[in-house]
Amino acid sequence: MACSFTATSARSLPALRGRCSARLPRNLLAKQRISRDQTRTFLSLFKKFRADSQTQSAAPPRPILAQDNLFHLFSKSPFPAVRERGEAIKKLAPCPVCASSHAQGHPHVTPKAVKFECPDCGWPTHCSEEHWEADKEHQRFCGRLREASEDEHDLRSGRKMREFEMPGPLDYDETVSFSNWDIFWYTRGFPSMDTERMRRHASKLLTYPMTIASVLHQNSGLTLSNQRVTPEGIRSLAALRSTLHVPPGAPETEEAGVGKPVFRIFILGARAESSLPPHVWEQLSLLFPSVSLHVHFIGPQVSLPKPEDLEKMKTKAAQTAASAAKPEEEAPSSHSNETASPTSEEVKPAASAEPPKPTYVPNIYQPPTPDPIPIQKHTRSSVSVYGAPSYTVPYARQISITGIQASYTDVHPALFDSLDPYSDVFFLFSPGLGFPSASGALTPAGEPVLQISSPTEWGDTLPMLLQSKCSVFVTGFSPADVERDVRALAQAEGVAGEFDWVVTPGENAFGSEKWEVADFDPRVMVKTNWGIWGIRGKRRDIREWEQ
């Protein structure tokens, strides 16, 4: 029996499908469905036009530089910030060949500033091409300098930075490992880091929050077995982890944190870390889902919102307090609004009259204060709480961020009574404890006073931290920097002999893998948070004496 579809209606299709399935072409029904879907109407033309326009608008922007075109001399870079940095280096950095000749006993040789840009790395490195050719030591630094130059151009190239895409909350059965960057990225669900450049960018962005997490998390790679944690350190970390985590076997959920105190992380001397976007710090809270975190940035170089934004927050907070105190008071009249508007208009010309800020600020010996941060949705002023320029933003349900532009000694009286070794911890990122004080003060022996002993820097702060019995973790940007800070502990009054080791000095597995080049000498290169160590105020057990 032959089956024909020439005069078959839609209602007879189910019956024929059962009787003639063996003889029907396999794609006949699909063809009929497609022909029915392809029926056009007059309005479908406008739908297609709208869809095409949306597709074109959603197309990613074309990168400014291709991945095979990242090398440029600083003076010929397409980015103004890179060109300005090259000019700053030419004013600050001395020629290494001239400097070595002067140091070897040739007083007639005056060190000249660098002017010649190396054709292999792109950085200004020597005063002339002759000195560049004569310098055999430059080959030791040339590869790193070129890598750093290409990284800076890649960040501004306009390509889609997949390495900056952050994962969401942890799944119920997800476990994160803190052995190293590779295993962490894999177990946490980050995008694949396909190139070494992607690794460097991601590690620099995440080094501050992940250094904190790698120390405090129960899956930390710092253990007693690898001799990075001391017996006293096990006690301190166990106290912190009892707040950060739930008992064994219980689920790490937000509901498990009901009744727990807020875990506070104080970052003293904060600079670049205070300017990180809040969603980067949110990654820290996602690793501890059963507790609420409150990150405090404290230091004279903390990045705050713009002054006019701070004034708006102060005014809004004052109005909120006034309305709460006098709920029966009526709203301001229209006359008050009219008188307030000229004031805001008068401020605008003053702001526009300010000279334009340079695109690049050189990093001589102390990093500059970061640019102001944008205001988030719930940002509010905290001047009334801390008595200093400050803000607080409850960014997410599990994390709040506070920035205080003041030294810790000014804030300590408001915090000391509430400090708890179980729920408070301090971090000092590259504080420079062993560097000479910027004040230029000298000891009675004629030696420069170190920052750990200077009253204008860390001299009064560290004894306060040790007195609180809270753990204090310190990072360094190189092996020499870590050793210099540790040696300074034995010389500081009020610190030497008053602490127990929590984490022994050593390399930080979550330090940045990107080389940071000094503007005053391109041969000086460091890595942010290369090493880490931790201490705590000395515990003295009281024993009953039996006669």
Side-chain angles (χ1 to χ4, degrees):
M1 172 182 171
C3 295
S4 176
F5 271 69
T6 55
T8 304
S9 63
R11 284 181 293 178
S12 61
L13 280 176
L16 288 175
R17 189 180 298 139
R19 288 184 295 163
C20 307
S21 58
R23 297 193 177 198
L24 288 178
R26 183 172 297 178
N27 61 345
L28 188 56
L29 295 176
K31 286 183 178 180
Q32 186 170 355
R33 189 181 303 113
I34 292 174
S35 64
R36 215 169 33 239
D37 294 342
Q38 287 180 345
T39 303
R40 288 192 173 185
T41 62
F42 177 73
L43 296 178
S44 64
L45 296 176
F46 297 97
K47 293 181 180 179
K48 184 176 184 301
F49 176 77
R50 191 184 304 113
D52 293 342
S53 62
Q54 291 177 354
T55 303
Q56 294 176 1
S57 62
R62 186 177 180 180
I64 301 174
L65 295 178
Q67 288 298 293
D68 58 353
N69 188 30
L70 296 178
F71 176 71
H72 296 271
L73 300 179
F74 270 47
S75 60
K76 299 180 180 180
S77 172
F79 306 110
V82 178
R83 295 196 299 269
E84 288 189 15
R85 185 177 187 184
E87 294 299 324
I89 294 174
K90 291 179 181 179
K91 296 177 182 178
L92 296 172
C95 174
V97 176
C98 297
S100 61
S101 299
H102 183 78
Q104 291 175 1
H106 301 280
H108 61 281
V109 179
T110 303
K112 300 179 181 178
V114 296
K115 294 181 179 179
F116 178 76
E117 294 177 330
C118 172
D120 298 326
C121 66
W123 291 73
T125 55
H126 296 80
C127 64
S128 63
E129 186 176 358
E130 291 76 13
H131 278 189
W132 171 73
E133 293 176 348
D135 188 7
K136 304 303 180 183
E137 291 291 322
H138 178 65
Q139 296 301 322
R140 294 172 48 200
F141 310 97
C142 191
R144 294 179 183 176
L145 289 173
R146 175 162 183 151
E147 176 184 291
S149 174
E150 291 182 351
D151 287 348
E152 293 298 320
H153 284 87
D154 182 56
L155 285 173
R156 299 169 172 85
S157 65
R159 71 171 177 89
K160 183 179 181 181
M161 310 296 287
R162 292 181 56 253
E163 56 268 40
F164 293 161
E165 297 176 1
M166 302 294 164
L170 289 167
D171 293 335
Y172 173 75
D173 56 348
E174 189 175 355
T175 302
V176 180
S177 174
F178 289 89
S179 299
N180 52 53
W181 277 120
D182 288 323
I183 298 179
F184 169 75
W185 284 326
Y186 176 75
T187 56
R188 183 64 184 92
F190 275 81
S192 176
M193 304 296 171
D194 299 328
T195 63
E196 291 296 319
R197 181 168 290 116
M198 294 177 67
R199 291 174 51 89
R200 293 193 292 271
H201 291 334
S203 64
K204 181 181 179 180
L205 179 70
L206 295 168
T207 180
Y208 293 108
M210 292 308 112
T211 294
I212 296 175
S214 67
V215 173
L216 302 179
H217 202 276
Q218 61 185 2
N219 296 335
S220 171
L222 306 175
T223 61
L224 190 63
S225 59
N226 60 16
Q227 299 182 355
R228 289 302 306 276
V229 180
T230 64
E232 288 295 329
I234 288 291
R235 297 181 182 180
S236 297
L237 292 175
L240 295 171
R241 290 166 183 169
S242 66
T243 304
L244 289 168
H245 296 284
V246 296
E252 289 268 8
T253 60
E254 184 178 343
E255 291 75 13
V258 176
K260 284 187 176 182
V262 175
F263 192 92
R264 298 185 297 181
I265 301 172
F266 298 96
I267 302 177
L268 308 187
R271 288 188 295 264
E273 54 269 35
S274 66
S275 63
L276 286 177
H279 73 272
V280 176
W281 285 105
E282 187 185 12
Q283 290 296 311
L284 177 62
S285 68
L286 295 178
L287 295 170
F288 303 99
S290 61
V291 68
S292 295
L293 302 183
H294 194 166
V295 181
H296 292 74
F297 302 116
I298 304 176
Q301 290 185 295
V302 168
S303 181
L304 298 177
K306 294 180 179 179
E308 54 268 24
D309 294 337
L310 282 176
E311 290 298 328
K312 292 179 182 178
M313 287 192 297
K314 288 182 187 178
T315 305
K316 186 177 180 180
Q319 291 175 353
T320 304
S323 61
K326 300 179 181 180
E328 70 280 358
E329 186 176 351
E330 296 181 357
S333 62
S334 59
H335 177 72
S336 61
N337 294 334
E338 293 175 358
T339 56
S341 57
T343 306
S344 59
E345 293 176 358
E346 292 172 2
V347 175
K348 293 180 181 178
S352 60
E354 294 180 359
K357 293 183 62 177
T359 308
Y360 178 77
V361 179
N363 176 8
I364 304 177
Y365 294 103
Q366 186 176 14
T369 301
D371 292 333
I373 59 175
I375 281 189
Q376 302 296 323
K377 182 178 180 180
H378 300 291
T379 303
R380 63 178 183 267
S381 175
S382 300
V383 176
S384 60
V385 179
Y386 303 104
S390 56
Y391 75 95
T392 298
V393 51
Y395 182 73
R397 289 186 299 179
Q398 297 296 103
I399 185 170
S400 298
I401 300 174
T402 294
I404 309 171
Q405 200 173 71
S407 61
Y408 178 76
T409 53
D410 298 332
V411 183
H412 180 74
L415 299 174
F416 177 71
D417 292 338
S418 62
L419 293 177
D420 185 356
Y422 281 77
S423 58
D424 296 317
V425 66
F426 291 89
F427 277 84
L428 284 66
F429 291 111
S430 302
L433 302 177
F435 277 96
S437 173
S439 63
L442 300 176
T443 63
E447 298 179 355
V449 175
L450 302 182
Q451 293 189 18
I452 194 174
S453 303
S454 173
T456 59
E457 285 146 324
W458 298 103
D460 298 331
T461 301
L462 279 182
M464 293 178 181
L465 303 185
L466 298 179
Q467 187 180 3
S468 69
K469 306 301 180 185
C470 295
S471 298
V472 182
F473 298 97
V474 186
T475 68
F477 52 72
S478 67
D481 184 48
V482 172
E483 181 180 2
R484 180 169 48 241
D485 289 350
V486 171
R487 289 180 180 273
L489 294 177
Q491 306 175 16
E493 184 179 355
V495 177
E498 297 295 328
F499 65 90
D500 292 322
W501 286 102
V502 176
V503 174
T504 58
E507 188 173 358
N508 175 23
F510 289 86
S512 172
E513 297 184 356
K514 183 179 183 297
W515 288 106
E516 306 293 340
V517 183
D519 293 340
F520 59 85
D521 187 355
R523 294 191 174 196
V524 177
M525 289 175 276
V526 298
K527 290 185 176 180
T528 306
N529 299 333
W530 177 89
I532 190 170
W533 48 275
I535 58 176
R536 185 206 64 195
K538 198 172 190 63
R539 192 184 69 168
R540 293 178 171 86
D541 296 329
I542 299 177
R543 298 181 181 179
E544 184 178 355
W545 180 61
E546 298 180 359
Q547 294 183 352

